[in-house]
């Protein structure tokens, strides 16, 4: 199995080092891999003048999966837009046609105080938001701002084809099958025809997944339910715009950005796996960053691209044990727990494995 590793900028290289050590520790039992490293983001701009060099693109296309740290930093903020590190991320997502974004929001009981919600509402939360990433009003045509009756009018087009809905629906049903077998599809069918089609296609698709319980919720209600009683959800699936908002809302329920992994998949389950946080320039190079989001992203890679469920669960269980044993990096530290750095956290996960 060929893994393209893109450490990126800021804390990227530090957290990636720990994720690679963890992958090495679970090698075997059907998991054998080679790693090829390449540049993306600011470090790629410095070395080659572009945030997504040709050599990186070639490796990413050849690989089965891509593991990415983070990109960006203040030293590149004044560059022209097309040379900004974040452009590298947009380019790789587009080139590989990664249309399905999977964002779990998990709140380990030991970290319940990190959330702004009451511990009993969020403790033990484990939901997965599946967001369509390449369609919807963000890409629909026509779009623009025009003059009409002597004033400016702004307009965008919400559009989804049946095939686009079907392919994201499949990813969501398959993901639900690997978890609690409950899928909630989020739409706004009471006012938007486009999302009426979304609901109709989800219902048609559900015939192929009799073992998964499908429900529907309007997006305004879903936004409320996520803060009222988030534990009612297992997997949620929605379009690009609603998913943009709901996935950020869900991640904030956990209150700990250093803990959240993510995956973006194509139609063949090839994926780009990365922590949800950025390059944290304020703590880069100090050995303070929490590597768990990247380690958990590697576990997602084993589950979704390589279909190695047992290996993925082993890593996730090791992370749970390390938290239960009181190990904390600065971002999740509380009085009475044990403060550790990036490498010590990696050591603890490996010892627990
Ligand atoms: P950030 O996520 O990098 O940091 C926000 C805060 O969270 C900081 O205080 C940081 O120290 C802390 N933090 C983040 N990850 C952490 C970890 N693993 N362990 C401990 N603490 C952690 O967001 P930002 O400060 O808004 O952005 C910094 C840079 O990252 C910018 O250049 C931005 O464009 C970029 N960025 C990249 C991505 C990505 O690569 N996917 C995502 C968001 C932001």
């Amino acid at each position: 199995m060929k893994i393209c590793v893109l450490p990126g900028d800021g804390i990227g290289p530090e957290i990636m080092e720990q994720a690679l050590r963890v992958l090495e520790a679970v090698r075997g039992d059907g998991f054998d891999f080679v790693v090829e490293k390449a540049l993306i983001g600011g470090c790629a701009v410095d070395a080659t003048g572009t945030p997504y060099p040709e050599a990186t693109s070639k490796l990413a296309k050849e690989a089965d999966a891509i593991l990415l740290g983070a990109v960006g930093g203040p030293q590149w903020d004044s560059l022209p837009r097309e040379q900004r590190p974040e452009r590298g991320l947009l380019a790789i997502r587009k080139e590989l046609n990664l249309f399905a974004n999977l964002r779990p929001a998990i709140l380990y009981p030991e970290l319940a105080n990190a959330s702004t919600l009451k511990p009993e509402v969020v403790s033990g939360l484990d939901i997965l938001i599946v967001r369509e990433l390449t369609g919807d009003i963000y890409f629909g045509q026509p779009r623009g701002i025009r003059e009409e009756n002597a004033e400016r009018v702004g307009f965008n087009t919400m559009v989804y084809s049946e095939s686009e809905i079907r392919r994201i629906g499949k990813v969501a049903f398959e993901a639900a099958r690997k978890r609690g077998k409950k899928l909630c599809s989020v739409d706004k069918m009471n006012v938007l025809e486009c999302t009426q089609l979304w609901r109709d296609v989800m219902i048609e698709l559900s015939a192929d997944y009799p073992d998964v319980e499908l429900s529907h919720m309007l997006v305004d209600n879903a936004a409320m339910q996520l803060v009222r009683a988030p534990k009612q959800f297992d997997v949620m699936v929605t379009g690009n715009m609603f998913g943009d908002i709901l996935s950020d809302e869900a991640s904030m329920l956990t209150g700990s950005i250093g803990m959240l992994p993510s995956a973006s998949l194509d139609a063949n389950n090839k994926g780009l796996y990365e922590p949800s946080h950025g390059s944290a320039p304020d703590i880069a190079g100090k050995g303070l960053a929490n590597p768990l989001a990247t380690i958990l992203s590697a576990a997602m890679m084993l589950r979704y691209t390589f279909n190695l469920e047992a290996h993925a669960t082993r890593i996730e269980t090791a992370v749970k044990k390390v938290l239960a044993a009181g190990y904390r990096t600065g971002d999740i530290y509380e009085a009475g727990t044990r403060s550790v750095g990036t490498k010590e956290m990696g050591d603890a996960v490996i010892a627990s494995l």
Side-chain angles (χ1 to χ4, degrees):
M1 298 160 192
K2 214 178 204 181
I3 305 171
C4 171
V5 169
L6 307 175
D9 308 318
I11 59 171
E14 304 162 53
I15 52 182
M16 185 60 75
E17 192 183 329
Q18 301 312 315
L20 292 178
R21 290 177 67 214
V22 168
L23 283 177
E24 204 51 65
V26 297
R27 187 191 282 273
D29 294 328
F31 178 46
D32 194 14
F33 65 101
V34 287
V35 160
E36 304 220 49
K37 283 194 185 172
L39 299 173
I40 194 164
C43 59
V45 173
D46 290 349
T48 70
T50 156
Y52 187 50
E54 193 49 46
T56 305
S57 156
K58 185 166 178 289
L59 274 187
K61 279 191 229 151
E62 286 166 5
D64 300 304
I66 297 124
L67 195 56
L68 186 138
V71 300
Q75 64 268 53
W76 298 289
D77 279 351
S78 52
L79 287 175
R81 207 158 276 283
E82 63 284 358
Q83 278 182 19
R84 299 251 180 101
E86 294 75 11
R87 276 293 158 119
L89 269 187
L90 295 180
I92 191 170
R93 286 181 186 144
K94 187 160 178 234
E95 180 172 80
L96 300 179
N97 204 8
L98 304 171
F99 67 88
N101 187 218
L102 275 57
R103 295 235 329 232
I106 296 172
L107 187 58
Y108 302 91
E110 297 83 10
L111 302 183
N113 286 331
S115 174
T116 49
L117 264 60
K118 292 188 190 114
E120 63 269 26
V121 175
V122 284
S123 179
L125 176 78
D126 182 356
I127 60 182
L128 174 70
I129 301 213
V130 179
R131 166 189 172 194
E132 203 286 332
L133 212 52
T134 56
D136 204 349
I137 195 163
Y138 290 0
F139 294 92
Q141 295 286 348
R143 62 193 297 156
I145 300 171
R146 68 180 169 225
E147 281 292 320
E148 230 173 69
N149 302 326
E151 64 169 349
R152 285 171 301 165
V153 176
F155 57 101
N156 288 86
T157 304
M158 179 179 251
V159 56
Y160 265 122
S161 69
E162 202 176 337
S163 56
E164 282 176 307
I165 303 170
R166 201 172 293 278
R167 69 176 186 175
I168 189 75
K170 273 189 186 159
V171 171
F173 274 105
E174 298 285 343
R177 223 172 219 178
K178 289 180 178 172
R179 298 173 37 107
K181 299 188 169 47
K182 272 170 55 183
L183 177 63
C184 178
S185 170
V186 176
D187 60 43
K188 187 74 183 170
M189 57 75 88
N190 52 345
V191 282
L192 297 169
E193 289 80 355
C194 178
T195 73
Q196 175 69 58
L197 178 68
W198 177 281
R199 186 175 289 208
D200 294 346
V201 174
M202 288 295 165
I203 291 170
E204 287 160 27
L205 203 51
S206 69
D208 298 338
Y209 299 89
D211 52 326
V212 176
E213 181 195 320
L214 174 68
S215 62
H216 306 274
M217 197 175 275
L218 297 175
V219 63
D220 41 350
N221 188 22
M224 283 199 298
Q225 295 300 330
L226 269 178
V227 286
R228 193 189 69 87
K231 284 191 270 184
Q232 69 185 284
F233 298 110
D234 175 22
V235 180
M236 299 173 93
V237 62
T238 191
N240 202 348
M241 180 167 60
F242 298 159
D244 189 359
I245 299 163
L246 293 182
S247 62
D248 266 15
E249 186 189 2
S251 68
M252 272 319 296
L253 296 176
T254 72
S256 39
I257 190 148
M259 298 294 307
L260 297 172
S262 82
S264 304
L265 305 179
D266 77 359
N268 302 311
N269 284 346
K270 173 171 177 162
L272 170 76
Y273 298 85
E274 57 183 325
S276 295
H277 59 73
S279 58
D282 51 334
I283 56 167
K286 297 183 180 158
L288 298 174
N290 185 348
L292 293 178
T294 315
I295 290 170
L296 292 168
S297 298
M300 284 187 87
M301 173 179 77
L302 297 180
R303 172 172 296 118
Y304 291 105
T305 292
F306 299 130
N307 240 326
L308 293 168
E309 178 63 36
H311 289 70
T313 308
R314 234 186 112 202
I315 294 175
E316 289 161 355
T317 307
V319 168
K320 278 183 197 150
K321 283 190 185 158
V322 162
L323 292 173
Y327 291 85
R328 301 285 188 275
T329 42
D331 55 317
I332 51 175
Y333 180 76
E334 269 186 90
T337 60
R338 179 170 168 182
S339 173
V340 295
T342 311
K343 175 163 186 302
E344 284 170 282
M345 189 58 112
D347 290 344
V349 174
I350 289 164
S352 169
L353 279 168

